[in-house]
Amino acid sequence: MALLIMILRKMVKNRWLQLNLWLGLTVCVALFSSMPMYSQAILQRTLLKELQLQQQTTNLYPGAMRISTSVSPELKNKAQRIEQLDRFMDGVPGRFGLDSLAALKEKYSRTFTVYALDASKEEKKKITYASLGALSDPDSYFRLIDGRMPDPGRSDGVYEAVVSQKFLLDMKRDLNAEFVGELGTDGQTIRIVPVGIVDAKPDPYTDFKLVQNSKMFYIDYGQFERHVVSGGQVGVSSLIYRHALDYNQMDIDSIGTYVRESGRIAGYANSLGMTGFKYNALDTISTYQKKHQQLNVILWSLYSPVMLMLAFYLYMSANLIIERQKTEIAVLRSRGASRFQIMLGFAAEGLMLGTAALAAGPLVGMYFTKLLGASSGFLEFVQRASLQVALNSTAYKIGAAAVAGSLILMLIPAFLATRVSIVGHKQQTARSGKRSFWHKSFLDLVLIGIAVYMLRSFQSQMEDMRKLALESDSLRTDPLLFLMPALFALGCALFVLRIYPFFIRLVYWLGRRFWPPALYSTLIQISRSSGQYLTIKVFLIMTVAVGLFSANAARTINGNMEDKIHYEIGADMVLETRWENDAPPPMTGPVPASEEQTEELPAAPKRVQYVEPPFLPMKELDGVEAAARVYRNDKAFYNVSGGNGGTTLVGINTYEFGQTAWMRSGLLGHPINAYLNLIASDQRAVLISRSIAEEHKIKTGDRIGVNWSGLDEAGFIVYGIIDYWPGWNPLPSAEKSGSAVTVPKLIVGHISYIQNRLALEPYKVWIKLKEGATSKQVYDDLARLKIPVTNLTDTNQQLIKSQNDPYRLAINGVMTLGFVISMLISFFGFLLFWVLTLSGRTLQYGILRAIGIPFVQIIGMLVSEQILTSGAAVLIGVIIGNTVSELFVPLFEMSFNPSEQVPPFQILQQLSDYIQLYSIVGIMLAAGLGILGYRLSRIKIHQALKLGEE
């Protein structure tokens, strides 16, 4: 009890230090606990959106499942086995953990020949097959058109049934006409009377449809169970179970259950016979298990620099607390206290702080998670539907692990301090100028060496991927990709700070006769006590460097993903409309199989003639600034003096295309409009890709012939050679069947010349929207004018889809969150360090004031000290941050498919990111200086001198 009281008194005495330590622990717990919450919330939202989109595009309810199985004739204990399967299928919603919206059991008998009781001999000769069927809930799925539903209590041996209208039309009978079913060669028969005509009700869930093409008598379900399933004359043939589960209740945790139970049902049903399955959402859901794992890896990778910052903060805070208590620890050791007792006290202190942090951290983590969900770019937020965030046991487990790791980190300074007696402590105090452990162990050079080695390894992998046209996932991130920059930045920071004291000494030596007293004192203080400032300078350097890297990395990833979408589509919108033509209807009959039949077919198909729809209305659509006709044929051929080959032929109107197409600057040797102007004057002029020019040694002015199947060749003249063109991918791609690499080829010419000399075929319409116009304006106008659009690609919709991608959201959100947290803890760390430093130098400032140095000069000493420590750290951080960005941001190219990343990957930097970073750091330093100046002004000379006497 006495130990607890002592600990509490000590914590109250150092309450501001303890508050800073608790703040760091809380942020640490919040950061770690937000990872499982974020990955689950973002994947949950994306999963539901994909399932909703699937329902819109396919008109099938994603939560529906259909399990069908045949029943083997040799199956023993058939009725009992089917009853067991029924009970198993009734429990499907409970096993999946989802509410049931609809459920249906369908059962069908074996087929038999059927004819009307009054059928003529000619009708009996025409063999017709039929079956008995039954639904577990006919009222929900049958709509009665005529007649009535079957009476299961009829006792004269006749089955009453409902049938489809087509059944009676094919059989040429009316309701209540009796039918006879012959079950086999032994003369067994059954009698059936259709008493009602039914059709299937609209079903939004299970997708049940009435079997129209087969002859089916639907009898009462209970009657079917008694007379067919339980070993009647007919015999059961197949079973179908339909369930519709509420997919809106599905979360990431239930995905494993869904996949596992799907396989379990398959294994259970297979015991009866051949089984078929249809789970509408299974393909979509199955991918999310892998996505969940990948996203967790990415989150750990993204958080690693922030974790490093938090580790620094916690260590620095704990070290500052221990520094203030070293004398007390040394006295306790000298008076007989064991190291275990002292460590137990610090452990209890840390445990109390950790428990408080664990109580508040996950709640703060929920706020972090919502902040992540609202981020659309680095330090950019949008009004997006909030994430459904819920605290779970995983968040608390990870938070507890973070607390445990933090406590170990915090106890390290205490453990080191307990080794020193009172004499050793005084000796250490007198030798404060010794080198730090980091520099004595050459940790800076080790970290730089590791980072450079991994950098070279990644660069080698990238080069191999380019040469071999290897494919990767659409966004694949190696965890080391985010850890390497942090290690390199830390190594560079320690290395610069190794030589920085020598720079200060050089400055002092150069101006030792001219420096004013304030700067003279500051230079001596910094050069002699460089180790004292090491922690705070590394802290600030890492903050700025990691912040710059995060800004440049996020901007680069976002910019390249958006450029890829713009380039691939080519314009704001791309439309395809229906062209009238004389093409014959598609052949539905059997394909000729014999050689004689094949030889009778015409040698070449008739060329389809198209009628071009009006193009002017496209230019006059609401919100459209410009429109262009773009013809593309990927199966064209070229012929030059050096050979021939396949190519992509693009036909354009140069003026229209120049006003409409999107092209990133710097991809071509000259602006794209210069190339368009070059070929505008000659209808035969074309631009060819460099792949054609290099393969056949073609130069400008050479002739090239172009055609495609069934056409005579048209002549063109080469006016220019290009490397890129909107909508065309020039990168080589590997053949799926082998290792051969195909190099794409391109020819760009005039659409009018192609239409006149080759053929008129459907082209696409590229559209550029007016500033501020929306896609909806175009959609509404297309509907109003009744323009028959067969295909539409909207760049804006693709950009929105890309922005909502879980991996991109993770990168933008975590980098933004990491930067905000880094700035926050840097501010508190900055204040903590300098407030304690001022407290430790109260006597020095009091003496300076007592000997007549004005307060203004003391403020000047403080400012100059800040400039040479914190200011220098920020400047070094900027230099290191830019270096890290130049070296490591290009590695993010590995996150994209190298065979599809067009235009080429480039580093993007935006001035606003730098302004934001410098503004936040500047405000932090200015606020810190203001607080320090205020505290300095409150120092009383007599109190300082009295403290010196004590």
Side-chain angles (χ1 to χ4, degrees), residues 36-55:
M37 289 190 288
Y38 176 74
S39 63
Q40 183 164 356
I42 194 62
L43 286 176
Q44 170 78 17
R45 183 171 71 179
T46 308
L47 173 62
L48 290 180
K49 283 189 174 184
E50 287 193 11
L51 291 175
Q52 291 166 1
L53 180 62
Q54 177 184 339
Q55 184 173 3

Side-chain angles (χ1 to χ4, degrees), residues 57-77:
T57 54
T58 64
N59 290 322
L60 296 176
Y61 187 72
M65 59 181 68
R66 178 184 181 274
I67 301 99
S68 62
T69 179
S70 62
V71 180
S72 174
E74 292 79 19
L75 185 67
K76 296 180 179 180
N77 301 321

Side-chain angles (χ1 to χ4, degrees), residues 503-677:
F503 171 76
I504 294 296
R505 291 175 187 174
L506 177 63
V507 172
Y508 164 75
W509 182 80
L510 291 175
R512 63 188 184 279
R513 297 183 180 180
F514 314 105
W515 301 131
L519 186 56
Y520 186 90
S521 174
T522 300
L523 290 172
I524 292 178
Q525 173 71 25
I526 295 175
S527 62
R528 291 179 179 177
S529 305
S530 59
Q532 176 185 353
Y533 304 98
L534 179 65
T535 306
I536 187 64
K537 285 192 286 189
V538 171
F539 198 59
L540 291 174
I541 290 172
M542 288 293 294
T543 299
V544 177
V546 172
L548 276 178
F549 171 76
S550 298
N552 291 331
R555 185 68 61 185
T556 297
I557 291 174
N558 293 329
N560 282 278
M561 291 179 74
E562 292 174 1
D563 284 357
K564 179 179 180 292
I565 293 173
H566 280 293
Y567 180 91
E568 184 177 0
I569 297 175
D572 292 339
M573 296 178 70
V574 176
L575 303 177
E576 293 181 56
T577 58
R578 186 174 68 247
W579 285 46
E580 299 296 334
N581 60 78
D582 61 353
M587 186 172 60
T588 57
V591 179
S594 66
E595 296 180 2
E596 291 79 13
Q597 289 175 316
T598 306
E599 290 175 358
E600 292 176 1
L601 294 175
K606 176 180 175 292
R607 174 156 294 283
V608 178
Q609 301 297 320
Y610 292 94
V611 178
E612 182 179 1
F615 175 65
L616 184 60
M618 296 295 185
K619 293 185 174 181
E620 297 175 348
L621 291 172
D622 186 25
V624 172
E625 179 180 325
R629 297 163 293 169
V630 180
Y631 171 73
R632 176 167 175 155
N633 189 330
D634 292 317
K635 297 181 179 180
F637 300 93
Y638 67 89
N639 183 26
V640 293
S641 58
N644 53 53
T647 184
T648 295
L649 175 65
V650 173
I652 60 172
N653 177 290
T654 55
Y655 179 73
E656 295 172 353
F657 194 81
Q659 287 187 312
T660 307
W662 182 94
M663 187 70 168
R664 192 173 79 186
S665 60
L667 293 179
L668 301 172
H670 305 279
I672 188 172
N673 285 342
Y675 289 92
L676 296 175
N677 292 334

Side-chain angles (χ1 to χ4, degrees), residues 91 117 119 181 184 303 367 393 483 490 609 613 714 723 759 799 809:
L117 183 63
Y303 276 137
Y367 175 76
S393 58
L483 185 59
L490 178 59
Q609 301 297 320
D723 296 296
L799 291 173
L809 284 173

Side-chain angles (χ1 to χ4, degrees), residues 170-199:
D170 291 343
M171 299 300 292
K172 299 178 182 179
R173 294 295 185 274
D174 295 325
L175 283 178
N176 300 311
E178 187 172 329
F179 289 84
V180 176
E182 292 186 351
L183 304 181
T185 58
D186 54 0
Q188 290 183 333
T189 61
I190 59 173
R191 297 160 59 196
I192 313 165
V193 175
V195 295
I197 299 175
V198 294
D199 192 9

